[in-house]
Amino acid sequence: MQGTRARVQVVDISISVHGCRIIDELAAAGVKPDAVVASVGGGGLYCGLVRGLQRHGWDDVVVLTAETDGAACFSASLSAGESVRLSAITSVATSLGALSPSPTALSLAKTQPTRALTVSDTEAVGACVSLLDDHRVLVEPACGAALALLYSERQRAQLSDFNTIVVVVCGGSGVNAEILQQWKRDLLTE
């Protein structure tokens, strides 16, 4: 294979399966949301959520994806109508760090109502701090991107069309109290 190169897009299958299971659990509980909010990087979780929604015939449920401005490959790609490759990740939300989304995610976005939204690092970190204060749950800014749609006054209007909203809260392995305090000092100084 000398001289042959291939770019392989990695989408964590376990993340995709997790997304499907979230929707299965909602269906089993008899809860059909108007919208599902989730952070997106390369699209693994998004793919699972959409597949779960479609498996249950919930083709009208809107998926709102959230990325930070410095890691917004999915939003840029949906806006461009084709895959966009970022030159670098410039966000504190490094676990959203896909330079480009999976082709499967872009394909699924054509079959399920999807709104690709972006938030600032400040909004994402602020949402992490708010979740910790409100619920004693520590998450990283990748998750904070989705939570910012609830916690950020500027972003909250994105949810005004919906009554029943499910927000996927995941992503805490890359943060501890010391790291969160540093992000607060760096981004939330008044």
Side-chain angles (χ1 to χ4, degrees), residues 71-95:
C73 69
F74 189 70
S75 176
S77 295
L78 288 189
S79 292
E82 62 185 8
S83 184
V84 170
R85 183 171 175 78
L86 302 178
S87 60
I89 303 300
T90 60
S91 170
V92 297
T94 55
S95 61

Side-chain angles (χ1 to χ4, degrees), residues 79-161:
S79 292
E82 62 185 8
S83 184
V84 170
R85 183 171 175 78
L86 302 178
S87 60
I89 303 300
T90 60
S91 170
V92 297
T94 55
S95 61
L96 287 179
L99 294 175
S100 61
S102 77
T104 303
L106 293 178
S107 177
L108 285 171
K110 295 175 183 173
T111 66
Q112 187 76 28
T114 300
R115 296 183 194 172
L117 308 171
T118 61
V119 304
S120 69
D121 279 351
T122 300
E123 289 171 317
V125 170
C128 293
V129 172
S130 294
L131 185 72
L132 181 61
D133 290 346
D134 292 348
H135 300 284
R136 303 291 180 238
V137 175
L138 184 61
V139 295
E140 57 193 90
C143 179
L147 293 168
L149 299 182
L150 297 172
Y151 282 114
S152 169
E153 196 171 315
R154 182 177 79 94
Q155 297 290 341
R156 203 171 298 127
Q158 306 283 352
L159 304 177
S160 64
D161 295 341

